[in-house]
Amino acid sequence: MNRSLVSRMLMLGIPLLTVVLLLIFVATGSSIEHIVNRAIARNAQLQAQGMRLALEQALAETRNQLLILAAGSMDPRDMTHRMEFRAKANGLHYREVAYVGLAPENRYLLLSHDGQIINVPMHVALDSPSSPFHNLGGEQRPGYVNVGQPMEAVYSMVPFNKSLQSLSLHVLRFFTAVHDREGNFTGYLLLSLDMKDLRDIVSRYSSPDAPIAASGADTRVRSLFFDREGWMLFQSETPDAALVGKSLGNDAVRAGFWGDYGRPGFSMAFRPSPEHINYWSMVADVQAGQANQLPMTESSTVWSNGQMRVERVSYVPVSFKPGAGGEPVVLGGLAVLDTSFTTTRTGMQVMGIYTVSFLGGMILLALSLWWLAHQMGKSLNMLGRSLHKRNITGGSDDLDLPPLPRELEGVKHDINTLLGRLRQAKIQRRSHEALQDAQWQREPVPDLPHPEDLPASGLVGTSSAMQTLCDQVRKASQVLADVLIIGETGTGKELVSEAIHRLSARSSGPFITINCGALDENLLMDTLFGHVKGAFTEARQARKGAFLAAEGGTLMLDEVGNAAPKVQQALLRALSTRRIRPLGSDQEVPFDTRIVAATNASLLEDAREGSFREDLYYRLAVITIHTPPLRERKTDIPSLTVYFLTEAVKARAKAEEVGTDAETDVEGQDSAQGALSRAAKGFKASSTMQMPQISRGALAKLMAYAWPGNVRELKNTLTRALTFCEENILYAENIQLGPVASNGAGDDMSKQQAHDNKPAPQAQEGQEKATGKGSADTQDSKADAAATNSRTEKKNGARPENEEFAQRSPSSGENLAASIFPAGSPSGQETSSMPDAGASASGITASDNPSRQVPLYAPGSDQESGPEPSQEFGGNRVSEAFTGAVSEAAAFTANGNGGSSTVNADAVRLNHRQAAMWPRLEAMGSISRQEYQQMLGKDISMRTAQYDLQLFVQMGLVRKEGRGPAQRYVVVPGRTFYKG
């Protein structure tokens, strides 16, 4: 096996060092463990002796206090004062003071409870079985103190704080004989020490903060106090703030033992059964006054394998000296249970030290061997790092290394030769990729929607947002409730309103738009509600107002959020009562008008801020429709691009046709020559109506932009790009996004575009009357189009009508219902709308083109929808195009309506592919996208087939079922189409 130099040296040195260190550890481990165990055991025994001394000191202090009290007066009042003073001092707590005189009237019992001294009535004291007046007797020598067994004293019906309470005390009673000044015995004086004080002393010495600790802060011990008979009385507790009020307990130390529970006079005492041999051996040593340790093994005692794991038990006797020179009396024993496993932890620490030493030695040896191997292979490593760096970064520059050994210099020369060849290959590849990318960016986008496949007016796009909008418009048009349209600027709120009107039952009525933000308060009030004759100085005749002018139709209130508070109040009353009161009139006039409001602000937030009436908002928002911004439906950008470019080309051709007609009138030719000239120039205009192609780079640039101005900005951008496009294809450099500095050419282009989009003079005059001065967008383009409008009026013989609101009839290309929505929508409506620079915002477009023949398809006939051969321009079919233009002009003159075919209200316009596929789709009942594409032929792309099927869905002809590859388009039953 081929190994590195480092691995070879490590494999030799590490096993040798491992053997040496293991020999050292085995030789010293056992000795260190024995020394540590002895030290820990001695430390534990010292801790137990420290607890013993603390307890014996407390017992001695109690004896001294009893002798001091016995030397004083035995009067109850004096004794009470002394006990009260003693209760206020810090130290041991004495719970009982009793004097048992020879005569019954010289007896009393004082209890200390919660800092107060209670004089217990004698009958209460005598009724208690644990009363000190029962069987009290002992040595009567002066200075000799007798001590009893720990016991539990219970007193019932003790008067305390103006009530009778039961007191339970765990005490250790001391009593001594009392003599008078002549030395005569007069009785016994008893003083009881609270055993909680003994518990607290043991708990303090068992904590890590004890004056004597076994092994520092990590020591965890539990101490146990038991009497001479082996009864477990109490255990140590955690020395915290709650320890003062905590009662005695032995639950933890007796866990796992079995035996007797409850000693007479001490109900909570516990004595293990004789089967626990080690425990009773410890009790026997304590009775003999011996201190020792119990080694813990798994089988020695329950403390080694019970709930509380104990490593060792140190025990000492606790004795009491009754008098000077007397023999001490063993009261009980103290067992210290070491649960910290200090020995085990110390052994683990020693093992850790050994492990660290072992690992340290291994690391030092490994570093030494690595340094040796590194010095030996320094040149190889340097060469390898250089190659690895170039492999990661993709660099191909020559190796620049310091002088290497002779053998490696040849290797470096060969590597540099290969790197030079690699550089040449990279340069050639990048040049080829750059050329391919540039060519790809300038290639036209395939599979764009055909202009004839897009609706002449309506919602352009097949995204989910547009489908939702179509569905909302369709549903809103079926009811007569008021509608609130909310959307950003340029998203087509006005045209959505017009679509709702056109599809509703009020389509035969007028459609009037009022811009509430373009008029001041008084003018807007007059425009909306009208006035009667003589209402003010200049009111020479009555004026209906928009509410009455739109009777039977629809009134759109644009920018309703900008209306003044007075206008809002008037609108609220009008919407509430469906009546208005014109200015100067004393009577309210009912109106039958549907209200559609539009805004680009959040009216609900404005209502909360107080700038808009909240009650008016809820009156308007019966049905709320949100027009989606373009950034949320970027998949519609290709369709919108095709549509706007087609409209821009048509608008340019229309302008050229108007100029040509004016020149023909000035020339004053005869009728035959004029017709021929109009036909020839009409052919010329038609030949220029060819939409330029769109390059991939241009479309990618449009798709990547955020479009803060929405579809209006897209339209303006495409119009600007088309103006500066010098070829028959739009490139990325022709697309100027964001704010563009205006210049002479740009201003001329804007004026020409405003002239092309200008409505008829009659409609313009009606709009100006309806809004005062017209919208802001209209005012910018009005002056530029004044001359052209004048020439058009003179030519057509049209004069402005003296009406309050002008109405215009939609052309056949403005058939929104026939383009997008299901059949059955009414047509032939009359509308009046203010012009908007963003007329096609959010994909809702209104065509200004002349009426043209719309081919229809009816099931069962052989006619297909699509352009006739004579209507196709471009390529090499110039003569046919010219003939078609002349024929179309003649047909328009003969029919007077632009074509012999008319659109029936129940008809839906289909493109030529849909017209060909509908009979087969209707016969099959359902179809998938793959089947549709295969039936149309291999020249049809997947995108085109998907577009046709989406249009079928929007028309309500089919519905989607399933998802993914299993998705199918199922024919909706009961939908038929008839030729008008």
Side-chain angles (χ1 to χ4, degrees):
M1 182 180 295
N2 187 15
R3 298 182 180 274
S4 64
L5 294 176
V6 176
S7 63
R8 293 174 184 270
M9 298 185 72
L10 292 179
M11 290 179 64
L12 177 63
I14 290 179
L16 180 61
L17 180 62
T18 302
V19 173
V20 174
L21 292 179
L22 288 177
L23 291 177
I24 295 175
F25 294 162
V26 171
T28 59
S30 58
S31 299
I32 293 177
E33 182 180 1
H34 179 67
I35 294 173
V36 169
N37 287 338
R38 287 177 56 190
I40 293 174
R42 179 173 296 180
N43 197 12
Q45 191 65 26
L46 288 176
Q47 186 177 14
Q49 292 291 346
M51 294 184 189
R52 169 190 176 181
L53 292 176
L55 292 178
E56 291 181 351
Q57 183 179 0
L59 298 178
E61 181 180 353
T62 304
R63 182 196 62 190
N64 295 335
Q65 289 292 334
L66 178 60
L67 293 177
I68 292 173
L69 292 176
S73 173
M74 294 295 108
D75 185 74
R77 289 188 298 273
D78 295 340
M79 188 65 68
T80 301
H81 292 325
R82 281 182 285 175
M83 290 303 298
E84 289 177 350
F85 177 80
R86 189 68 185 83
K88 295 179 181 179
N90 294 328
L92 299 177
H93 298 85
Y94 302 109
R95 305 302 299 276
E96 293 178 321
V97 175
Y99 177 65
V100 184
L102 297 179
E105 61 273 9
N106 293 332
R107 298 178 182 181
Y108 60 85
L109 173 63
L110 302 178
L111 298 181
S112 176
H113 183 68
D114 289 342
Q116 299 184 19
I117 306 302
I118 305 171
N119 191 348
V120 181
M122 186 56 59
H123 68 278
V124 175
L126 294 176
D127 290 341
S128 175
S130 56
S131 173
F133 301 112
H134 301 309
N135 301 324
L136 183 64
E139 186 68 35
Q140 298 181 0
R141 289 180 298 168
Y144 187 89
V145 177
N146 300 278
V147 61
Q149 287 292 330
M151 66 179 303
E152 179 180 6
V154 180
Y155 298 97
S156 301
M157 309 299 289
V158 176
F160 180 71
N161 288 338
K162 300 180 180 181
S163 63
L164 299 178
Q165 299 183 10
S166 296
L167 301 180
S168 177
L169 310 174
H170 293 89
V171 294
L172 181 62
R173 289 175 172 174
F174 299 83
F175 60 95
T176 185
V178 179
H179 299 80
D180 57 11
R181 294 181 179 180
E182 289 76 15
N184 298 322
F185 174 76
T186 61
Y188 291 99
L189 179 63
L190 180 142
L191 182 64
S192 298
L193 175 63
D194 194 347
M195 293 193 67
K196 291 183 180 181
D197 289 347
L198 302 180
R199 188 270 314 274
D200 294 345
I201 294 173
V202 173
S203 300
R204 185 170 66 253
Y205 274 81
S206 300
S207 66
D209 300 329
I212 299 178
S215 300
D218 295 334
T219 303
R220 295 185 298 273
V221 299
R222 177 78 77 171
S223 300
L224 165 67
F225 184 83
F226 55 92
D227 62 7
R228 289 176 54 86
E229 282 76 24
W231 290 90
M232 297 181 181
L233 300 183
F234 62 85
Q235 64 186 14
S236 63
E237 304 291 347
T238 303
D240 52 15
L243 182 62
V244 177
K246 193 173 183 179
S247 60
L248 301 179
N250 53 17
D251 297 336
V253 296
R254 65 182 178 86
F257 287 90
W258 62 91
D260 301 329
Y261 188 82
R263 188 198 73 182
F266 208 96
S267 60
M268 57 170 295
F270 176 79
R271 182 171 61 182
S273 64
E275 286 83 0
H276 301 287
I277 300 176
N278 285 341
Y279 177 81
W280 287 107
S281 299
M282 177 181 67
V283 173
D285 290 344
V286 167
Q287 290 173 352
Q290 298 178 0
N292 205 342
Q293 287 186 342
L294 288 178
M296 293 290 101
T297 61
E298 291 295 331
S299 59
S300 60
T301 178
V302 293
W303 280 329
S304 62
N305 54 14
Q307 298 180 5
M308 183 176 62
R309 307 276 300 175
V310 178
E311 186 177 27
R312 64 169 47 86
V313 178
S314 301
Y315 56 90
V316 292
V318 177
S319 58
F320 172 74
K321 185 178 290 187
E327 292 295 329
V329 178
V330 177
L331 295 181
L334 183 66
V336 180
L337 314 179
D338 186 4
T339 62
S340 61
F341 286 84
T342 306
T343 303
T344 304
R345 289 189 292 107
T346 304
M348 295 178 64
Q349 292 175 358
V350 173
M351 184 60 64
I353 294 173
Y354 283 167
T355 303
V356 171
S357 302
F358 177 78
L359 294 178
M362 295 294 102
I363 292 174
L364 290 176
L365 178 62
L367 291 176
S368 301
L369 296 178
W370 176 85
W371 184 82
L372 292 175
H374 177 71
Q375 294 298 321
M376 296 172 60
K378 184 176 181 180
S379 299
L380 290 175
N381 292 334
M382 187 183 302
L383 180 62
R385 285 194 298 270
S386 300
L387 292 176
H388 182 67
K389 180 179 179 181
R390 284 160 178 77
N391 185 29
I392 294 177
T393 61
S396 57
D397 53 315
D398 291 342
L399 298 178
D400 186 13
L401 301 175
L404 299 176
R406 182 181 304 171
E407 295 81 3
L408 295 180
E409 282 292 339
V411 176
K412 185 179 74 172
H413 180 267
D414 294 337
I415 292 176
N416 288 335
T417 303
L418 293 176
L419 290 176
R421 295 179 180 178
L422 180 60
R423 287 195 297 271
Q424 294 296 328
K426 283 185 176 181
I427 293 174
Q428 295 177 0
R429 179 175 58 83
R430 289 174 181 172
S431 300
H432 182 67
E433 290 178 352
L435 180 61
Q436 286 184 340
D437 183 68
Q439 292 176 352
W440 185 87
Q441 290 285 341
R442 303 184 75 84
E443 290 178 358
V445 178
D447 299 334
L448 282 177
H450 195 275
E452 293 188 359
D453 295 340
L454 300 176
S457 85
L459 299 177
V460 177
T462 59
S463 62
S464 58
M466 290 304 297
Q467 293 179 14
T468 302
L469 182 60
C470 291
D471 185 63
Q472 291 178 350
V473 170
R474 185 186 303 112
K475 292 179 179 178
S477 64
Q478 296 174 1
V479 296
L480 299 180
D482 296 336
V483 180
L484 176 63
I485 302 174
I486 302 175
E488 299 178 5
T489 300
T491 53
K493 300 182 288 296
E494 181 176 350
L495 292 175
V496 170
S497 305
E498 188 174 350
I500 294 174
H501 170 75
R502 195 176 292 129
L503 294 175
S504 67
R506 296 175 175 264
S507 58
S508 58
F511 176 84
I512 297 177
T513 299
I514 301 297
N515 192 335
C516 299
L519 304 176
D520 59 17
E521 178 179 314
N522 295 328
L523 186 56
L524 182 57
M525 289 287 292
D526 186 56
T527 302
L528 291 175
F529 304 105
H531 60 265
V532 298
K533 183 178 180 181
F536 49 90
T537 304
E538 298 179 358
R540 298 183 180 88
Q541 60 181 359
R543 183 180 186 180
K544 288 185 182 180
F547 276 92
L548 297 180
E551 184 76 14
T554 303
L555 173 60
M556 178 188 176
L557 302 178
D558 198 6
E559 301 301 336
V560 70
N562 297 331
K566 180 179 178 181
V567 179
Q568 295 180 23
Q569 183 177 3
L571 287 175
L572 176 61
R573 177 170 180 79
L575 294 177
S576 302
T577 62
R578 290 292 167 176
R579 290 174 174 270
I580 64 172
R581 177 174 294 178
L583 182 61
S585 176
D586 296 333
Q587 297 181 355
E588 293 185 344
V589 181
F591 65 89
D592 181 18
T593 304
R594 183 180 190 176
I595 305 301
V596 177
T599 181
N600 59 0
S602 178
L603 297 184
L604 191 55
E605 293 182 2
D606 293 344
R608 293 170 181 169
E609 296 174 359
S611 60
F612 192 82
R613 296 182 64 97
E614 186 175 4
D615 47 4
L616 178 58
Y617 167 77
Y618 288 111
R619 282 289 181 183
L620 293 173
V622 179
I623 298 176
T624 304
I625 296 179
H626 293 266
T627 54
L630 184 57
R631 63 180 175 272
E632 295 180 1
R633 56 184 193 96
K634 287 190 174 182
T635 55
D636 294 334
I637 289 180
S639 301
L640 292 171
T641 302
V642 172
Y643 180 84
F644 288 138
L645 288 177
T646 304
E647 291 296 312
V649 171
K650 291 180 180 179
R652 179 184 297 179
K654 178 181 177 181
E656 295 177 359
E657 181 182 354
V658 172
T660 301
D661 293 341
E663 293 175 2
T664 303
D665 293 339
V666 174
E667 291 175 0
Q669 298 177 354
D670 57 13
S671 59
Q673 293 178 351
L676 181 60
S677 176
R678 286 192 297 271
K681 294 182 178 181
F683 159 72
K684 181 180 178 180
S686 300
S687 64
T688 60
M689 292 176 56
Q690 183 175 3
M691 186 193 77
Q693 294 180 310
I694 306 170
S695 65
R696 297 178 186 267
L699 183 59
K701 191 173 182 180
L702 295 176
M703 295 291 289
Y705 187 54
W707 300 111
N710 295 299
V711 184
R712 179 180 300 159
E713 183 181 4
L714 174 63
K715 179 182 179 181
N716 295 338
T717 300
L718 293 174
T719 304
R720 182 169 55 247
L722 183 62
T723 302
F724 295 104
C725 179
E726 298 178 354
E727 302 180 21
N728 196 28
I729 183 171
L730 286 179
Y731 296 111
E733 56 267 22
N734 299 130
I735 306 296
Q736 301 179 20
L737 300 176
V740 180
S742 59
N743 48 37
D747 293 342
D748 294 341
M749 181 270 295
S750 301
K751 293 178 181 179
Q752 180 65 27
Q753 182 65 23
H755 165 70
D756 295 340
N757 292 335
K758 197 69 177 177
Q762 296 86 344
Q764 177 68 22
E765 181 182 2
Q767 293 157 7
E768 292 175 359
K769 290 183 179 181
T771 61
K773 294 183 179 181
S775 64
D777 297 330
T778 305
Q779 294 176 15
D780 295 337
S781 60
K782 183 188 296 183
D784 298 327
T788 304
N789 287 339
S790 299
R791 291 195 300 267
T792 304
E793 290 173 4
K794 291 179 180 180
K795 175 189 172 185
N796 298 333
R799 294 182 300 175
E801 298 178 4
N802 187 16
E803 294 181 358
E804 186 176 352
F805 296 96
Q807 301 176 355
R808 58 186 175 91
S809 300
S811 62
S812 60
E814 209 168 5
N815 189 2
L816 174 65
S819 307
I820 295 299
F821 302 103
S825 301
S827 61
Q829 59 199 19
E830 294 183 355
T831 62
S832 174
S833 175
M834 295 174 56
D836 186 9
S840 300
S842 82
I844 305 177
T845 63
S847 175
D848 292 326
N849 298 329
S851 301
R852 64 182 180 89
Q853 185 173 358
V854 182
L856 298 174
Y857 166 74
S861 65
D862 297 328
Q863 183 181 1
E864 272 192 0
S865 172
E868 298 295 335
S870 61
Q871 293 175 314
E872 299 178 1
F873 301 104
N876 298 324
R877 307 192 60 181
V878 178
S879 60
E880 296 182 6
F882 180 79
T883 305
V886 175
S887 301
E888 184 175 359
F892 183 88
T893 304
N895 297 331
N897 58 1
S900 58
S901 297
T902 60
V903 180
N904 187 278
D906 295 331
V908 173
R909 185 168 62 86
L910 306 174
N911 58 42
H912 59 281
R913 294 185 304 274
Q914 291 175 313
M917 286 297 298
W918 176 251
R920 303 171 66 181
L921 178 59
E922 195 174 28
M924 294 174 61
S926 65
I927 197 171
S928 65
R929 195 267 307 161
Q930 294 86 348
E931 295 173 353
Y932 187 92
Q933 185 177 356
Q934 292 173 2
M935 293 170 67
L936 284 175
K938 59 182 180 180
D939 295 334
I940 300 301
S941 64
M942 177 184 68
R943 187 172 180 177
T944 301
Q946 187 70 25
Y947 181 83
D948 288 348
L949 292 173
Q950 290 291 345
L951 285 181
F952 276 129
V953 174
Q954 292 181 3
M955 296 173 185
L957 305 179
V958 298
R959 66 175 183 273
K960 293 181 182 180
E961 289 187 359
R963 297 177 62 87
Q967 188 178 69
R968 297 188 68 82
Y969 297 82
V970 182
V971 176
V972 177
R975 302 308 303 269
T976 58
F977 304 92
Y978 299 96
K979 183 175 179 181

